[in-house]
Amino acid sequence: MNVRRSAAVLAAVAVFGSAAAPAAFADDKPSPSAALPSGLYGKTDPKFDGVFRQSYALLAQDTEGVKPAAKAVDWLTGQQCASGGFAAYRADSSEPCNSKTAVDSNSTAAAVQALAALGKQDQTVKKGVDWLKSVQNKDGGWGYNPGMPSDANSTGIVVGALVAAGRNPADMKSQDGKSAYDALPKLAMDCDKDGGAFGLADAKSGKLSPNADATAAGVLGSLGKGLVVSAPKKSETAAPKCAKPDTATQAAGNGVGYLLDTLGKTDDHLMSSMPGSTDQPDFGNTADSVLALAAAGQSERAKTSAEWLAKNSADWAKQSGPAAYSQLIFAAHAAGMDPRDFGGADLVKQLNATGPAPETASKSPAASDADEKDDDGGVSVWWIIGVGMVAGIGIGFLYSGNRKKKQ
């Protein structure tokens, strides 16, 4: 049940270890005396996902014609370090970032996508893109934190940021002349054994294993798409034929085939489990899969999974907060559905209620009074666990829960 980017977090844990795992189990809700910034969306502790959930919220609002509150935008821009990078959260943005500030590619890329869409943030966006360029790996991809091996989640969301900023990902090359489109095929897996999925590195061996979260991100990145995907006018009826992933396009096709097969085995949604628990629906990764399928022209299958989300995701979204509402809005948009009437819920109204009132918000269908107040701005438990592990070892943190995963 997560909200995105956990695969990247787990990749961080794989490199740096998990000695501080217990820190992740601390209560994620702020104490009564903890004052959250008035411009921030969500009411839970923003330590591990403040920038991420804010970026998702602002981008989702913009996608649906809502003009966010100025203080919400100002809070996000104020989180940027002088270097151009963003950390998951800076409690005191008046203090300059230093060598201990754990800036990361995921927070930065999410912020760039949101601010580029909002407009009038050219300098902030440029600084963010320049920072991303400065931490690009030799293979052309990105890891969660600077210096970490490339992973599909981080590389995928960075590609979305570059496209949003008007840059061609193929033209952003490393010192070895490699781009993201060179890195992503290397993170794809065999057709016969692994179904063509993109992989997530094992925490001990570093060996890749098939992962739906990484696959959805890898497909979007390989196709040059960001979080906002328009519903395709024509639908591909057949699954792409799996073949050696020697190009980004082929790797994307393979990944789409893997998602179609996996979704088909579980009634059009993904499943996940936490240690010691039984399998349960994975709403966050299902939403991400809708984006990937729509980007690949699989509109019918994308809509089928989005319709499942419309029927089943209300409790998850209410528990998880602004990032979850945003993911569902992105999925509805990609599937050609109305986010203001998503299984009877007005996702836009629910999202708006988790933070400062937007400057403009078009009238939406009536929603229940219960929808108007949603105080939980948290992300998936697994995302927080992954983040806590990384933060505790002194290297960095963050969401994406799909972000590891799953609720």
Side-chain angles (χ1 to χ4, degrees):
M1 300 159 105
N2 344 334
V3 201
R4 269 187 137 232
R5 228 63 309 120
S6 54
V9 173
L10 288 196
V13 175
V15 177
F16 293 95
S18 56
F25 293 91
D27 186 359
D28 66 323
K29 293 192 175 184
S31 64
S33 61
L36 292 175
S38 62
L40 179 65
Y41 276 81
K43 301 303 181 185
T44 55
D45 191 340
K47 181 177 180 180
F48 301 130
D49 77 323
V51 166
F52 212 100
R53 77 193 193 203
Q54 189 82 349
S55 299
Y56 265 50
L58 298 184
L59 181 57
Q61 288 179 323
D62 179 79
T63 300
E64 293 307 314
V66 174
K67 185 176 181 181
K71 64 180 178 180
V73 180
D74 290 344
W75 182 88
L76 182 58
T77 58
Q79 288 287 300
Q80 188 175 43
C81 294
S83 65
F86 286 77
Y89 176 68
R90 295 167 58 204
D92 185 357
S93 60
S94 66
E95 291 292 325
C97 300
N98 55 37
S99 60
K100 294 183 179 181
T101 305
V103 287
D104 69 84
S105 63
N106 287 225
S107 298
T108 303
V112 166
Q113 287 199 50
L115 296 172
L118 293 174
K120 299 181 180 180
Q121 300 292 338
D122 291 353
Q123 187 58 31
T124 303
V125 169
K126 182 180 183 303
K127 287 177 62 179
V129 171
D130 288 346
W131 181 83
L132 289 169
K133 167 61 179 172
S134 73
V135 298
Q136 185 177 22
N137 289 332
K138 291 182 179 181
D139 64 5
W142 282 265
Y144 188 79
N145 293 106
M148 289 178 53
S150 298
D151 66 78
N153 289 70
S154 299
T155 303
I157 195 171
V158 169
V159 167
L162 298 179
V163 173
R167 302 287 293 273
N168 183 349
D171 294 335
M172 183 171 283
K173 296 184 177 181
S174 68
Q175 62 190 68
D176 286 358
K178 303 291 186 180
S179 76
Y181 297 141
D182 295 305
L184 285 167
K186 303 297 183 183
L187 297 166
M189 308 193 69
D190 294 336
C191 294
D192 295 336
K193 181 180 179 182
D194 304 305
F198 281 83
L200 174 67
D202 178 78
K204 294 183 178 180
S205 68
K207 182 180 180 181
L208 294 176
S209 59
N211 182 272
D213 180 21
T215 300
V219 168
L220 284 176
S222 296
L223 295 176
K225 301 293 184 179
L227 295 169
V228 181
V229 177
S230 298
K233 295 180 179 179
K234 292 184 178 181
S235 181
E236 298 289 341
T237 56
K241 183 177 180 180
C242 198
K244 182 179 179 180
D246 50 5
T247 66
T249 300
Q250 185 62 56
N254 294 354
V256 169
Y258 173 83
L259 291 175
L260 289 172
D261 182 61
T262 304
L263 288 165
K265 294 176 180 177
T266 52
D267 296 327
D268 302 307
H269 64 278
L270 297 176
M271 299 292 292
S272 67
S273 62
M274 294 185 287
S277 69
T278 58
D279 287 352
Q280 57 185 313
D282 185 344
F283 301 96
N285 283 342
T286 299
D288 289 342
S289 295
V290 170
L291 303 188
L293 294 178
Q298 296 283 342
S299 61
E300 291 184 10
R301 297 298 298 275
K303 187 171 183 180
T304 298
S305 290
E307 289 173 340
W308 180 89
L309 286 168
K311 295 177 182 178
N312 297 282
S313 64
D315 289 343
W316 168 75
K318 186 173 183 178
Q319 176 186 18
S320 300
Y325 286 127
S326 300
Q327 279 187 276
L328 294 177
I329 289 172
F330 297 144
H333 183 79
M337 298 172 66
D338 185 1
R340 290 183 168 85
D341 186 12
F342 195 68
D346 185 341
L347 297 175
V348 179
K349 185 176 183 179
Q350 291 172 324
L351 172 61
N352 292 347
T354 67
E359 291 191 13
T360 60
S362 57
K363 294 287 184 179
S364 58
S368 67
D369 292 340
D371 289 340
E372 297 187 16
K373 289 294 181 181
D374 187 338
D375 292 332
D376 192 338
V379 297
S380 101
V381 170
W382 271 110
W383 177 65
I384 294 173
I385 290 177
V387 165
M389 290 179 180
V390 179
I393 16 184
I395 59 166
F397 24 70
L398 187 16
Y399 171 139
S400 210
N402 239 355
R403 281 146 238 22
K404 220 106 255 133
K405 287 184 107 84
K406 301 157 167 17
Q407 228 185 33

